[in-house]
Amino acid sequence: MNQENAAKFCAGCGYSVILMILNQVLAAQNVQDKAVMGLDIGCSLLGWNYLPINTFQTHHGRVVPTMLGYKRARKESTSVAVVGDGGAYAIGWQSLFYAARRDEPITVIVVNNSVYAMTGGQTAPTTVCGQKTDTHPAGSCEESFYGPEILKTIVKPGAYLARSAANDPKGIFAALEKAVQTQQAGHFSLVEILSFCPTNWKTTGKATFDYLENLKKIYKIGEV
Amino acid sequence: MQDVKKLATGHEAVVEACFDAGAKMMYGYPITPTTEVFTGWIKKGGEYLQTEDEIAAGFAVCGGVIAGQKAFTATAGPGHVLMQDALSMAEGMRLPFVAIIGQRGGPSSGTVIYSQQEVTLACFGGNGEGLRLVYSPSTIEELYFLTRVAFNSAWKYQYPTIVLTDGYLLKSRGVFVADKTIENAESYPLVKEGEKKHWRNIYTFEEELNEAVVRNKKDFDSIKKEVARSENYQTDDAEILLVAHGIVGGAAKDAINELRKKGQKIGLFRPITLRPFDNEAFDKIAMRVKKVVIVESSLGQLAQIVRAEMAPEIATPIEYIQYPALGIEAEKIVDYFL
């Protein structure tokens, strides 16, 4: 696995599994050296010294424009932006939308745990109806935010959009492999991965898995 | 190569300087008065991307320079506000980020041509300590020259670097000499292929951030002698010292010529870099004149810098000529002294 440093994610968080699989995909494609991973702010930032690949942190919502700038300057690189659902679909949505629309050849990994987790569990665009959060103590009921499905309406042929889940390592591997290949073919790719957040979901054991299974009913797994 | 004399607008001089500096990529978003820097760059065949906003333009520049590319942007006013997000990252991570800023003033959308109201924003905007290099040209020739210098300084010292101009100078047309003898600093990747760099800009402990900020400030102070620039005009026998930057510095010179004809012993200190401020050169004159008069098209943004930088033992009285958002012609300055 070549993990460089101990993970600093909460116990039960999905990030460490997702990043480990990303590293496996990059190794399998023999692009670890050419790969560079940009991290948004939020829980993603904790991945800064985790993998044996070039990694740097950016600002909240700004990892996508940073990584497309990197890619345009270094076309042979594999440019990966790792971002949470708030960074991708709220504060960074404008940049993500236009990066997809322009078919920027980068790979965006959106880790969707349905909350702002680093700040303690506030409502995110992906928060599901009835879910109680710090900013909606009585439960929010906005329409769920279907990032890949919305982007599907504006991407160019050749782009790849998919959703996977943190309890399906094979599915994540397959999706990220396709995403990296899509970038190499010169197109935009985004994989949303439904992820565990027992800390903010306030769940333990089976309840955490049940929570994820419920998310999977709302956010459909597979290529979009 | 010889120096070449040209007739050009400020925009054209900036674009030519960017090409001559070896810039390879421009990220931009249209905004008056820097739109023509963007369209001029495009017309001359420069690689570019029109982004969805100035935030994306700024962060794409960050990504480009991290990859080792001489990327830059140009913006103004409200775009300059949005640009602070990326400039702050560039300050924190020591990125060779170059921005051409055409001041249009404010608050809010301001006007579009003339102002010196973005001095504080350029020098101290963002959540940081103002560790930026800010150049303030007063003529088209200097606009060309300082744009060249800005790219070199950015890549030599790795601080965000701003050429702070305004719509008036950008839209003016004049004869200037493009100094083609300047050598370019080389660009280089800040992340090298396969080096497994782990690079953060958010720290776990306050002590770690303190160390980084103190180190960056120490570096900033150590380059001051090389970077800080200023011009003294008619200061040898001066009893009154005007302080003005940018195009107001040009008007101040005309005013001095008039006032000297009337027998006034008056001179000008013109900071060419607002950050770092050339306080040694300033103090030498400020301590021996009878008064200092700071002239600017804002309510004291230059004055704040001068007062903060002037040695505390200098007791020379300071007066202010301030016309926020207005053009300051020589007559306005002359009138003050009559």
Side-chain angles (χ1 to χ4, degrees), chain A residues 115-117 119-123 131-139 200 202:
Chain A
V115 283
Y116 283 86
T119 46
Q122 294 78 36
T123 300
Q131 187 178 342
K132 288 178 179 161
T133 69
D134 279 1
T135 45
H136 289 89
N200 287 297
K202 301 179 176 63

Side-chain angles (χ1 to χ4, degrees), chain A residues 51 54-55 57 59 74 94, chain B residues 53 67 85 192 197-198 201:
Chain A
L51 299 184
N54 279 320
T55 307
Q57 296 170 337
H59 279 194
R74 202 156 282 261
Q94 177 151 305
Chain B
D53 55 24
D85 196 357
K192 293 174 201 74
K197 183 166 183 166
H198 292 147
N201 72 5

Side-chain angles (χ1 to χ4, degrees), chain B residues 75 78 129 137 146 166 171 183 185 189 249 251 259-260 290 292 297 305 309 316 330:
Chain B
T75 189
E129 296 289 348
L146 292 178
D166 57 78
K171 288 173 187 293
E183 280 185 34
L259 289 164
R260 283 212 165 242
K290 288 184 181 156
V292 169
S297 174
I305 294 175
E309 296 279 352
T316 311

Side-chain angles (χ1 to χ4, degrees), chain A residues 12 48 66 71 73 75 114 156 173 196:
Chain A
W48 73 282
T66 307
K71 179 72 181 188
K75 295 187 171 52
S114 77
K156 292 191 169 62
F173 188 98
F196 303 111

Side-chain angles (χ1 to χ4, degrees), chain B residues 21 43 49 70-71 76 97 140 198 221 236 252 255 301 326:
Chain B
K43 270 182 204 150
L49 178 69
K70 279 191 186 177
F97 184 116
I140 292 174
H198 292 147
D221 291 341
D236 286 351
Q301 299 192 22
L326 291 180

Side-chain angles (χ1 to χ4, degrees), chain B residues 84 119-130 132 275 305 309:
Chain B
Q84 293 304 323
V119 167
T120 306
L121 190 59
C123 294
F124 299 104
N127 50 336
E129 296 289 348
R132 296 143 175 227
R275 291 287 290 164
I305 294 175
E309 296 279 352

Side-chain angles (χ1 to χ4, degrees), chain B residues 68-184:
Chain B
Q69 182 184 51
K70 279 191 186 177
F72 74 105
T73 188
T75 189
H80 187 193
V81 173
L82 295 181
M83 196 57 70
Q84 293 304 323
D85 196 357
L87 282 165
S88 175
M89 178 160 133
E91 186 176 325
M93 296 173 81
R94 298 283 301 267
L95 306 181
F97 184 116
V98 174
I100 314 295
I101 304 294
Q103 295 175 94
R104 52 181 281 170
S108 188
S109 292
T111 52
V112 291
I113 300 297
Y114 191 102
S115 169
Q116 295 191 313
Q117 293 173 278
E118 295 177 43
V119 167
T120 306
L121 190 59
C123 294
F124 299 104
N127 50 336
E129 296 289 348
L131 303 184
R132 296 143 175 227
L133 312 179
V134 179
Y135 293 91
S136 177
S138 72
T139 62
I140 292 174
E141 185 159 302
E142 207 173 43
L143 193 53
Y144 173 88
F145 175 71
L146 292 178
T147 303
R148 296 287 306 272
V149 170
F151 277 96
N152 280 351
S153 296
W155 285 92
K156 189 169 178 192
Y157 306 113
Q158 289 184 212
Y159 287 100
T161 304
I162 291 171
V163 179
L164 185 69
T165 181
D166 57 78
Y168 195 87
L169 188 58
L170 286 169
K171 288 173 187 293
S172 301
R173 183 181 295 275
V175 174
F176 80 104
V177 176
D179 180 356
K180 301 281 180 178
T181 63
I182 304 167
E183 280 185 34
N184 286 335

